Amino acid sequence: MLELLAVTAGYDRRAPVVRDATLTLSPGESIGLLGPSGCGKSTLARVAALLHRPDAGRVVIDGEPARGYRHRAPREQRTAFGVVFQQPRQSADPRLRLADLIAEPLRATGRAEGAAGRAAEAAETVGLGTDLLGRRPHEVSDGQLQRACLARALILRPRYLVCDEMTAMLDASTTAALVGVVEAYRRETGAGLLAVGHDRVLLDRWCDRTTDWSELGAHDADVTGAGLQKAGDRR
Ligand SMILES: Nc1ncnc2c1ncn2[C@@H]1O[C@H](COP(=O)(O)OP(=O)(O)OP(=O)(O)O)[C@@H](O)[C@H]1O
């Protein structure tokens, strides 16, 4: 289980963008987190994936409190998460060929042996033709690059996926394809999913339950995380 407990986070301690937010993701569950632009969804998603240190509150991963964030997160906790962001070009090293981009987490965790073969398999899983694996990000479309970023997120077989507006830049058929890949992975592995977005129709279809940020008031000092928990438990 992934637990975000009374998380307060942001970029200026005097004006946090997330206040006292509590959200629990059970094993195998998928939660859609809805909200308008700029409300703090990405910040909370980054805290959940150990990419942003909260100012207060706790993240507990399968019963174990997070022992660090960003580069200080211990490897076994960091690799519990696969993360896909909205803008593939901002999260892809432009110098890397797609094969190396997909294999990056393997190399970063000392599992370089067989990395090329595993990257090719992962590419196939996300519907990326092997002919594209030798290209660099600027030589492929946004949808193709996002497929590569999803393959990279899945390659270490994470227990939790955090998809932050993963499909916001994509057309309907690529969106359906990528959601299909995530769901096939979840069926196979039982991984949990936190999907952040502002498309209610998509999130309602995709996720077991959808939590609306504005209803929950995670950014509102008058409404505590208890409200987030309560509304978040609604199906
Ligand atoms: N690196 C940063 N430094 C300072 N402020 C930031 C930073 N990143 C985000 N913010 C601010 O924090 C607030 C919440 O941003 P966040 O990206 O979490 O919102 P969001 O709900 O995910 O928005 P969107 O749907 O547009 O992605 C915004 O006001 C934003 O300007």
Side-chain angles (χ1 to χ4, degrees):
M1 180 178 291
L2 173 63
E3 297 166 274
L4 303 179
L5 303 172
V7 166
T8 293
Y11 307 90
D12 175 350
R13 275 181 172 272
R14 291 161 303 178
V17 295
V18 177
R19 288 175 200 263
D20 215 10
T22 293
L23 185 65
T24 305
L25 181 63
S26 300
E29 187 183 26
S30 53
I31 298 181
L33 180 59
L34 265 174
S37 183
C39 69
K41 304 180 299 298
S42 294
T43 305
L44 188 61
R46 291 172 62 81
V47 171
L50 310 183
L51 296 173
H52 186 97
R53 168 180 283 284
D55 297 331
R58 291 195 303 147
V59 178
V60 182
I61 308 138
D62 299 327
E64 194 189 352
R67 298 204 304 277
Y69 294 84
R70 298 173 62 89
H71 57 279
R72 291 209 181 87
R75 181 182 290 179
E76 70 276 11
Q77 288 195 329
R78 196 177 58 220
T79 56
F81 297 93
V83 188
V84 188
F85 298 102
Q86 175 176 355
Q87 309 261 6
R89 292 190 196 280
Q90 284 177 15
S91 64
D93 184 336
R95 298 165 300 183
L96 291 183
R97 297 183 190 282
L98 296 199
D100 295 322
L101 186 141
I102 294 169
E104 231 180 350
L106 293 171
R107 301 212 164 93
T109 53
R111 298 168 221 195
E113 203 176 319
R118 285 185 61 190
E121 273 170 37
E124 196 181 331
T125 306
V126 299
L128 199 61
T130 44
D131 52 317
L132 297 177
L133 291 181
R135 296 197 193 172
R136 294 196 168 81
H138 71 275
E139 296 167 324
V140 298
S141 72
D142 285 343
Q144 290 163 340
L145 189 56
Q146 194 64 307
R147 284 178 195 262
C149 289
L150 177 56
R152 177 179 62 181
L154 299 180
I155 203 155
L156 293 179
R157 309 205 46 91
R159 301 198 296 282
Y160 297 98
L161 274 173
V162 177
C163 296
D164 184 1
E165 307 254 20
M166 176 180 77
T167 62
M169 293 179 66
L170 308 177
D171 63 24
S173 73
T174 310
T175 295
L178 292 198
V179 168
V181 169
V182 168
E183 288 310 296
Y185 174 76
R186 294 196 333 103
R187 273 195 303 278
E188 187 193 332
T189 62
L193 167 71
L194 178 63
V196 171
H198 48 248
D199 181 343
R200 178 176 285 280
V201 174
L202 173 69
L203 291 184
D204 279 348
R205 275 200 202 137
W206 183 2
C207 299
D208 298 333
R209 60 183 167 105
T210 305
T211 292
D212 192 309
W213 187 278
S214 63
E215 279 170 40
L216 306 173
H219 61 310
D220 184 337
D222 295 326
V223 182
T224 66
L228 180 55
Q229 174 92 64
K230 193 162 159 238
D233 285 342
R234 176 178 50 85
R235 288 217 169 221

